[in-house]
Amino acid sequence: MDGIYDTADAAHDRVIQLDRLNRAVRQRLTTPPPTVAEWVAAWLPAHFAGAATTAKYGSMLRTHPSRLR
């Protein structure tokens, strides 16, 4: 439960963690979102899928390139 800490140090550490999270969220809100092409370039290599699924994704991306803009 947030708000109850065993020590002042633990509470201070949580404040620092929340401040960092707030800064990260504010930064994301002020920068433009990635394009679909940028998102796919980051997501696809990290996505765990079988060969058939990966081939299907590749086919869809090649067939519908206008969606990547």
Side-chain angles (χ1 to χ4, degrees), residues 20-68:
R20 288 180 182 152
L21 178 61
N22 284 334
R23 268 193 302 270
V25 168
R26 280 194 306 272
Q27 182 180 9
R28 293 283 296 167
L29 292 176
T30 59
T31 58
T35 64
V36 174
E38 292 167 337
W39 185 85
V40 167
W43 171 78
L44 194 56
H47 183 67
F48 294 108
T53 301
T54 302
K56 179 180 171 185
Y57 293 159
S59 174
M60 286 189 283
L61 293 167
R62 283 188 309 278
T63 304
H64 305 285
S66 63
R67 302 250 187 224
L68 296 179

